[in-house]
Amino acid sequence: MTGPRHYITTTIPYVNARPHLGFALELVQADTLARHHRHRGGQVRLLSGTDDNSLKNVLAAEAEGVGVREFVDRNADAFAALRDPLALSLDDFIRTSSDPRHRTGVERLWRRCAAAGDLYRKEYEGLYCVGCEQFWTPDELVDGRCAEHGTEPQLVAEENWFFRLSRYADRLHDLITEGTLRIEPAARRNEVLALIAGGLHDFSVSRSHTRARGWGIPVPGDPEQVVYVWWDALGNYVTSLGYGSDDPAYEQWWAAGDRRIHLVGKGVVRFHAVYWPAMLLSAGLPLPTDILVHDYLTVGGRKISKSGNGTAVDPVSLAAAHGTDAVRWWLLRDVPRVGDADFTTERLTARADADFAGGLGNLVHRIVTMVHRYRGGSVPPLGTDRFAVATLLDVCREAPGRIDAALAGFDFRRAVDAAWDILEEANRCIDATRPWELAGAERRGNSDAAERLDAVLAALVTACRVLADELRPFVPESAARIARQVTSVDGVLPEAEPLFVRLRERR
């Protein structure tokens, strides 16, 4: 393939508990982008993984009374196992505690930043949130608590290595404002610019070996310290490509790639849009081109969490009960570009039943039935844009460009709407042309009605084929099902059959 190269990544979650639907949102968004760019002829590498070297993971293992390695391996396997239930087209999956590529790359990144004069040691005392794996200043807390987790940070005093983040404030500001480092949506870009304008402070990039319980990557040349988990984790975007070795993947996808796209949740924008680019600037490496930020999923107004606060939703069980595409469809069609989305199984079921059984299935079944009833299953050739089908064919022609533009703007809901307009216009076309009346007139010897019926049926089948093709990145299984129904075999369409069963009828 010779199309543009897109390197697309998700964040890598802590494995202190099993995965939840909130992370599935990011996975499905990233997979949709990857499938879309492949569908348009681009080269794509899609990466996910797990953040194993976290104190959160260590403390969770201790609370359960099992060894850290056993605990991390078990939960990391649960994240890797999301591939099939969510129909993920992953090209790579990295685990920071066990993948041999990772430590080598993290050590090289550390040494490059040290050589740039950006690492130094000092004693430090601060308020540390284990949930965020981050020090916070008192004015960043809400009533003395972490705004993200609602917990009181621990007072920690120790000697750590620090990174000269302050050195890169002006360059980061310029890169973001000029669009070299693109952050979407605009509200998140403005949030990052405000953070930079408020002053960037050097941050701690190591932890004592004792406080880390000996878990993590040792600081090069200083075995009494381990690399700070965020420094460690952010490095995965290049270590997975063999940075630190002779693997040509780094040059192909990062150094010489066309787009380097990170999908992240709004709670970790600081790390991806400030810390990580500064680290790359220090090391003399290219920056990501796009940081695409999504908001949260909630249950009853509370952020979905792995913490066992009653909001966890298991995506594997959800997909098993309702179907993979039903889960993907709700995440892509009902979650807004900006703003949190509240999840219930009732909303997922209602959306799937309305759009799959009541929408897609009903339309395709009607059209294929008419082709068999009026033309023996043979699809007439597509003629000119006459006979009240011009608008439908225009919508079909315009849909790919509209989808491209929507996904370029990180707006999955608008992209789905562009595809859905084909369905709605096809239904309007049926209502306007009334093919059954044209068939009746044809039987009475009206040749003009026969020609009009050919044009209508050809346009409607074309619409179904375009719709199936454009839905492939979003709901691959359902799109393939539609495509099979409207693909001629020896010149004839398969007999019409129900494509979707209402979820409420399955329960």
Side-chain angles (χ1 to χ4, degrees):
M1 296 180 67
T2 58
R5 282 176 285 194
H6 295 82
Y7 178 45
I8 302 172
T9 71
T10 73
T11 55
I12 54 173
Y14 300 129
V15 293
N16 57 307
R18 295 178 63 82
H20 60 63
L21 189 63
F23 184 57
L25 168 65
E26 185 170 303
L27 287 169
V28 169
Q29 289 179 337
D31 179 74
T32 299
L33 287 180
R35 288 177 181 272
H36 171 74
H37 288 302
R38 292 190 194 105
H39 188 43
R40 295 292 193 251
Q43 302 177 72
V44 174
R45 185 182 179 100
L46 175 60
L47 169 73
S48 190
T50 55
D51 185 352
D52 299 354
N53 297 327
S54 166
L55 181 58
K56 288 179 70 168
N57 301 336
V58 175
L59 297 178
E62 290 178 355
E64 193 173 308
V66 299
V68 179
R69 171 55 63 192
E70 175 188 349
F71 178 88
V72 165
D73 287 349
R74 183 192 70 206
N75 283 351
D77 286 345
F79 280 89
L82 291 173
R83 180 190 297 262
D84 290 340
L86 296 177
L88 305 175
S89 58
L90 291 170
D91 298 293
D92 197 3
F93 190 93
I94 189 167
R95 287 192 49 202
T96 58
S97 70
S98 58
D99 195 307
R101 297 172 294 179
H102 188 62
R103 177 169 174 171
T104 300
V106 168
E107 291 174 340
R108 184 181 185 188
L109 186 64
W110 183 280
R111 291 190 175 100
R112 288 285 294 264
C113 294
D118 287 331
L119 298 177
Y120 63 95
R121 248 185 113 145
K122 77 168 185 175
E123 292 184 355
Y124 183 75
E125 180 177 283
L127 298 169
Y128 193 75
C129 173
V130 175
C132 295
E133 294 282 12
Q134 164 77 359
F135 281 106
W136 298 110
T137 61
D139 61 346
E140 292 175 315
L141 303 176
V142 177
D143 296 326
R145 294 178 177 271
C146 167
E148 181 77 9
H149 294 92
T151 55
E152 293 184 4
Q154 303 171 357
L155 182 63
V156 173
E158 62 185 20
E159 186 175 347
N160 296 147
W161 287 92
F162 274 69
F163 175 73
R164 298 186 194 277
L165 181 65
S166 55
R167 177 179 287 181
Y168 296 97
D170 290 342
R171 290 181 66 186
L172 287 173
H173 175 273
D174 292 345
L175 289 165
I176 294 168
T177 54
E178 69 191 21
T180 302
L181 176 56
R182 173 177 171 250
I183 303 170
E184 290 288 347
R188 298 302 170 200
R189 179 176 68 250
N190 294 338
E191 175 186 318
V192 173
L193 290 173
L195 180 66
I196 294 171
L200 296 182
H201 305 287
D202 298 353
F203 69 99
S204 170
V205 292
S206 72
R207 304 290 181 260
S208 70
H209 184 273
T210 301
R211 188 158 69 88
R213 312 290 208 274
W215 185 256
I217 297 175
V219 168
D222 189 354
E224 294 305 309
Q225 296 272 309
V226 299
V227 175
Y228 171 42
V229 64
W230 270 103
W231 179 288
D232 171 339
L234 289 165
N236 93 91
Y237 302 126
V238 293
T239 66
S240 62
L241 300 173
Y243 175 75
S245 71
D246 295 327
D247 191 332
Y250 171 77
E251 180 67 26
Q252 178 183 2
W253 295 103
W254 192 267
D258 295 288
R259 308 301 297 182
R260 298 173 290 276
I261 303 168
H262 295 328
L263 275 75
V264 309
K266 66 180 179 180
V268 294
V269 174
R270 172 197 301 253
F271 302 101
H272 288 82
V274 178
Y275 291 8
W276 174 232
M279 291 161 57
L280 293 168
L281 288 172
S282 173
L285 305 181
L287 271 59
T289 58
D290 305 81
I291 298 174
L292 308 179
V293 187
H294 61 83
D295 285 359
Y296 289 148
L297 295 186
T298 61
V299 170
R302 293 187 299 166
K303 177 193 171 191
I304 289 180
S305 170
K306 301 193 298 283
S307 63
N309 63 356
T311 63
V313 178
D314 177 14
V316 176
S317 298
L318 199 65
H322 302 284
T324 293
D325 278 359
V327 176
R328 288 177 64 106
W329 190 245
W330 186 85
L331 292 171
L332 295 167
R333 185 152 169 76
D334 279 31
V335 175
R337 181 171 182 261
V338 177
D340 296 342
D342 204 63
F343 171 80
T344 67
T345 54
E346 290 76 14
R347 288 174 182 148
L348 182 147
T349 298
R351 172 59 73 185
D353 283 351
D355 289 1
F356 289 164
L360 290 166
N362 183 57
L363 175 71
V364 174
H365 193 274
R366 290 178 73 191
I367 292 171
V368 173
T369 297
M370 288 191 292
V371 172
H372 276 274
R373 181 173 297 159
Y374 306 138
R375 292 296 181 264
S378 296
V379 182
L382 188 63
T384 58
D385 295 355
R386 296 185 298 150
F387 308 124
V389 299
T391 301
L392 175 59
L393 295 177
D394 284 344
V395 170
C396 290
R397 279 191 291 266
E398 293 165 3
R402 292 176 58 203
I403 292 170
D404 291 350
L407 292 182
F410 193 49
D411 193 334
F412 295 93
R413 180 185 275 182
R414 186 159 58 93
V416 169
D417 286 346
W420 205 249
D421 282 349
I422 299 173
L423 179 143
E424 294 181 340
E425 186 57 40
N427 280 325
R428 283 192 287 268
C429 179
I430 293 172
D431 292 341
T433 60
R434 305 177 72 82
W436 51 93
E437 293 184 358
L438 293 174
E442 179 185 21
R443 286 192 296 270
R444 294 190 295 272
N446 186 327
S447 60
D448 180 64
E451 186 180 357
R452 293 185 66 189
L453 182 58
D454 279 348
V456 170
L457 293 177
L460 289 171
V461 173
T462 296
C464 289
R465 289 171 175 169
V466 173
L467 185 59
D469 194 51
E470 293 303 323
L471 286 176
R472 282 170 56 188
F474 305 96
V475 280
E477 180 184 339
S478 298
R481 195 177 301 169
I482 296 167
R484 286 192 295 270
Q485 182 70 89
V486 294
T487 297
S488 298
V489 179
D490 296 328
V492 177
L493 295 184
E495 290 286 345
E497 60 181 34
L499 295 180
F500 304 99
V501 176
R502 291 184 182 275
L503 296 182
R504 293 187 186 280
E505 295 175 1
R506 293 170 51 184
R507 292 159 63 177

